[in-house]
Amino acid sequence: QVQLVESGGGLVQPGGSLRLSCAASGFTLAYYAIGWFRQAPGKEREGVSCVSSSARSTYYADSVKGRFTISRDNAKNTVYLQMSSLKPGDTAVYFCATVPGCDYDNIWYPSANDYWGQGTQVTVSS
């Protein structure tokens, strides 16, 4: 069964850190570019970051640049999103997905043939 499973979300105070994980099963993550997306209540889904299959290219939205770091461990079939200096505006459900491409200034949104995880809630509040 093909699955992407996110974990690592939770409640954190402003200025705190969290590391999200996106673990794949049923397929080899190393062949895919992976994106992280988030959706806050009442807002459209936003592309936050992505990493190419080779890890040579990464993308960050302006809103998270300098605070979030994406990485991948293909041996563990997992992609990570390290989030630091978190702000209340980062509160959202975070999803990972396979994406058609990723480069420095662009994240491709998943196509109908791509895989999504179920999401993990991140809440930044004092």
Side-chain angles (χ1 to χ4, degrees):
Q1 182 182 4
V2 172
Q3 267 191 316
L4 284 172
V5 179
E6 302 95 337
S7 61
L11 173 64
V12 63
Q13 292 188 342
S17 298
L18 284 173
R19 187 177 80 157
L20 305 184
S21 299
C22 171
S25 60
F27 70 102
T28 303
L29 200 68
Y31 298 150
Y32 293 85
I34 301 297
W36 283 98
F37 300 83
R38 68 186 182 186
Q39 188 163 22
K43 294 189 176 181
E44 292 189 357
R45 193 166 292 189
E46 171 191 18
V48 173
S49 180
C50 63
V51 58
S52 63
S53 57
S54 67
R56 288 177 186 157
S57 297
T58 57
Y59 162 87
Y60 298 96
D62 287 343
S63 57
V64 306
K65 211 170 279 185
R67 301 187 298 120
F68 290 12
T69 302
I70 193 168
S71 62
R72 64 190 305 153
D73 185 340
N74 288 337
K76 294 184 177 179
N77 233 21
T78 301
V79 171
Y80 304 97
L81 186 69
Q82 178 68 48
M83 307 186 296
S84 302
S85 302
L86 283 162
K87 305 174 182 179
D90 295 317
T91 296
V93 179
Y94 284 70
F95 302 86
C96 65
T98 59
V99 292
C102 174
D103 62 31
Y104 178 74
D105 58 2
N106 193 29
I107 178 172
W108 277 257
Y109 274 64
S111 70
N113 297 322
D114 283 300
Y115 308 125
W116 284 93
Q118 84 290 347
T120 186
Q121 175 70 47
V122 171
T123 302
V124 184
S125 175
S126 55

